Amino acid sequence: MAFPRSRPRRLRRTPALRAMVRETSLRPEQLVLPMFIGEGQDGPVPIEAMPGVVRHTVDGAVRAAREAAAAGVGGVMLFGIPLHKDHEGSGAWDDDQVVQRASREIRAQVDGLTVGADLCLCEYTDHGHCGLLDDHGHVLNDESLELLARAAVSQAAAGAEVLYPSDMMDGRIGAVRDALDAAGHQDVVIVAHSGKLASSYYGPFREAAGSTPAFGDRRSYQMDPANGDEAIREARQDVEEGADMIMVKPAGPALDLVRRTRDAVDVPVAGYQVSGEYSMIKAGAAAGYVDEALVSMESLLAIRRAGASVIATYFAVDAARRLQG
């Protein structure tokens, strides 16, 4: 039908009508809260580039996880910042490292929350790259897989129910899946950062996680933001290797890849609203240019509308509370 018989505004006239025909919904349990945990701290350490976000102690992480669970948030994703780093990133598989300790404590003390851990070496290496280096500073792919597998088993043994491999080494999903299964952790979920672009939006995160590369950048292993077809090939390969879910990041600038990935694979898709997206909204709100609550919720709804079943966001607790009314 054409105008005047067809009047789309009829269904927009009242809040009740708009709610009745709303196509996309966002629920608190679909949100995952990334959390940073620092070793050797006496209390929370604010992250200047990410207002409202801190590096927690292990006890602080438990309190924050309890707060997230009370708001209805579905899960947490833990990042560790050790005091001592080395060439291999051996802290990643240290059973007494802060991520492992926090995983055990959150599992023991907080109900109704899925405990997840970032799986990468960059926070633990003294050079800031996501794998072993050769004598020329090139990241060694195959040699890094064994170390990632060791870290995965350590995190799973400590209680992580979901692992988020974010290193972008070729073949790491298969190596991690084999290692987990061999160690008796067949039920641990792998969310592969398949569509991880080499993005400028990660800047604030590097302050938060202390993972800025000592030299060079990560463009030789993270994906060129110009390449959509490559992201889909990566996602399909990771599913074949055993990924249970595919992550696309940064989600807001890559909504097209969220949609294309959703259409290309038969597992759930997650979107990570990364640090730069968060900090830009915070900065705009602080300057009075935008309404933080409205813009943050609209940005999350856009990621859902694009096809993400799960969204990792630093707004998780505030968004969950708004959704709860």
Side-chain angles (χ1 to χ4, degrees), residues 194 223 227-239 264:
S194 305
M223 203 171 303
N227 294 354
D229 292 346
E230 181 185 1
I232 302 307
R233 290 196 300 272
E234 182 90 32
R236 286 173 171 159
Q237 179 174 316
D238 286 348
V239 170

Side-chain angles (χ1 to χ4, degrees), residues 114-316:
T114 298
V115 178
D118 175 67
L119 178 58
C120 194
L121 302 180
C122 64
E123 298 107 301
Y124 302 93
T125 56
D126 53 16
H127 47 74
H129 282 282
C130 301
L132 285 173
L133 302 180
D134 66 14
D135 293 338
H136 304 287
H138 299 135
V139 177
L140 297 168
N141 189 95
D142 296 11
E143 292 83 348
S144 299
L145 300 184
E146 179 184 351
L147 306 186
L148 291 164
R150 291 173 65 181
V153 171
S154 175
Q155 292 176 347
E161 304 164 88
V162 181
L163 298 182
Y164 295 87
S166 60
D167 56 284
M168 291 300 287
M169 298 298 112
D170 291 338
R172 89 271 199 210
I173 301 304
V176 167
R177 184 75 270 166
D178 288 346
L180 290 172
D181 291 354
H185 302 299
Q186 295 91 341
D187 292 335
V188 171
V189 173
I190 296 177
V191 181
H193 284 54
S194 305
K196 183 177 182 179
L197 307 183
S199 174
S200 300
Y201 283 84
Y202 304 145
F205 172 90
R206 288 168 184 166
E207 176 194 335
S211 62
T212 302
F215 60 89
D217 54 39
R218 299 190 174 109
R219 294 182 184 275
S220 67
Y221 43 103
Q222 293 179 2
M223 203 171 303
D224 187 336
N227 294 354
D229 292 346
E230 181 185 1
I232 302 307
R233 290 196 300 272
E234 182 90 32
R236 286 173 171 159
Q237 179 174 316
D238 286 348
V239 170
E240 290 177 1
E241 292 183 16
D244 301 289
M245 194 182 305
I246 298 298
M247 179 78 82
V248 177
K249 61 188 287 193
L255 292 178
D256 60 321
L257 296 184
V258 174
R259 180 73 262 168
R260 289 185 62 186
T261 303
R262 171 64 282 162
D263 292 340
V265 300
D266 58 0
V267 299
V269 173
Y272 195 150
Q273 186 183 54
V274 301
S275 59
E277 298 174 78
Y278 170 86
S279 295
M280 287 168 63
I281 294 173
K282 281 286 189 177
Y289 299 147
V290 297
D291 183 302
E292 178 183 321
L294 295 179
V295 171
S296 63
M297 295 303 291
E298 185 177 337
S299 67
L300 296 174
L301 190 64
I303 298 169
R304 274 285 293 130
R305 190 179 65 242
S309 301
V310 176
I311 304 173
T313 174
Y314 302 96
F315 289 114

Side-chain angles (χ1 to χ4, degrees), residues 80-123:
I81 301 95
L83 284 175
H84 305 290
K85 305 186 180 189
D86 59 32
H87 188 71
E88 288 187 324
S90 61
W93 57 87
D94 180 350
D95 293 339
D96 198 40
Q97 191 48 260
V98 287
V99 164
Q100 284 83 338
R101 287 161 48 203
S103 295
R104 287 191 289 267
E105 293 300 321
I106 294 171
R107 285 293 300 275
Q109 299 185 46
V110 182
D111 294 326
L113 192 72
T114 298
V115 178
D118 175 67
L119 178 58
C120 194
L121 302 180
C122 64
E123 298 107 301

